[in-house]
Structures are given as C-alpha cells and as structure tokens.
Amino acid sequence: MKIRLAKLLLCGIAFAAISIVIHTLEAFVTMSFYLDPQYWQVWSKVMMPGPGPPGVEFYAASLIFAGLSGVLYAFIFDQLKPSIPGKKAFEKGTYYGTMLFMIAGLPGTLSMFLLINIPLALITVWAVTGWVVYLLGGMAIVKIMGK
C-alpha cells in the first residue's frame, strides 16, 4: 500500500512537471494573445490580476491542479492497466495518453470554443499542447506505475 501511494504521488509530481514545462513553452509562443487588451476580460483574476504576467498564486494553483490530475490519472491507470493495449511501456503509455486526451482534453477544448471568446488559433494551440501533455504524462504514468 505504501509503495502504491508513493508511486501515485510520484506520478502526480511527474505529470505536474511535464504540464508546467509544456504550458510555459506554449505561453511564450502564444504571448501575443495574453498581451492583447481585447482579451484581458476573458482571463481569470487568478491568472491575470492585472496587466502583466501571472502571479505566484497562479503558478502554485497550476502545480497543485496538475499534480492532483496526475495522481487521479495514475489511479485510473492502475485500475485499468490490464485492459490497456500495448506490450511495451511506450506503447501502453502512448495509448493511455491518447485515451486521456480523447476523454478529458478534447471535450474541454471543444467546450472552450463554445463558451469563451478567444481566438480559434489559441484554442487550437491549447488542444495540441494538451495532447502533448497527456501523451508524455501517460508515458510517465505507465513507466512509474509499471505496465
């Protein structure tokens, strides 16, 4: 039980690290959208309490949310492990990461298009980088939890 809990927590840390790195790189590439005054009202007060970069609270919340997501995804993987195709960790991780994106990432992205007034180009970038996070996160979870 202790080993399983430690692995779940390690998966949360790995997923958070992957998420923060990928989304930080994404933010540099898409910075023009965040600096455009016409979209300032769209962003939450946690992310943009005023013009300028997000505060420490945003990064802390991002790490916590990504870590909790990683723990949840690892727990689900542990329950579904025998039914996920793939003999090698890479295959199983790729399949699981794609499955996570199809279940969690894609529906959220499609909802954003309907609910939030932001450019389609930004939503598309978010979808692609989200898929990368889920893929790499899925691979890390399989590697840590064992295939």
Side-chain angles (χ1 to χ4, degrees):
M1 183 68 163
K2 285 184 181 181
I3 292 173
R4 186 166 168 234
L5 181 59
K7 285 184 175 186
L8 290 173
L9 293 174
L10 186 57
C11 286
I13 292 167
F15 192 87
I18 290 166
S19 179
I20 291 298
V21 168
I22 298 297
H23 289 305
T24 298
L25 294 173
E26 163 205 291
F28 284 121
V29 172
T30 60
M31 189 56 66
S32 61
F33 292 109
Y34 301 108
L35 298 176
D36 190 336
Q38 77 175 349
Y39 299 114
W40 285 351
Q41 295 303 314
V42 173
W43 312 124
S44 77
K45 296 300 178 199
V46 175
M47 184 175 120
M48 290 188 74
V56 174
E57 297 84 12
F58 174 75
Y59 291 106
S62 294
L63 278 170
I64 291 167
F65 292 175
L68 291 174
S69 296
V71 168
L72 177 63
Y73 297 149
F75 176 78
I76 292 168
F77 171 77
D78 197 45
Q79 302 305 304
L80 299 177
K81 191 181 339 187
S83 63
I84 297 174
K87 292 187 186 334
K88 298 179 181 175
F90 176 80
E91 293 169 356
K92 201 174 265 279
T94 301
Y95 188 91
Y96 185 60
T98 300
M99 190 171 76
L100 287 174
F101 175 73
M102 298 300 275
I103 292 169
L106 189 57
T109 300
L110 295 172
S111 297
M112 276 190 277
F113 178 73
L114 295 173
L115 300 173
I116 303 173
N117 181 28
I118 51 177
L120 180 58
L122 183 58
I123 293 173
T124 302
V125 170
W126 286 350
V128 170
T129 56
W131 183 50
V132 171
V133 169
Y134 285 116
L135 272 178
L136 295 176
M139 289 181 218
I141 288 168
V142 170
K143 196 74 171 164
I144 293 166
M145 296 300 290
K147 57 183 172 103

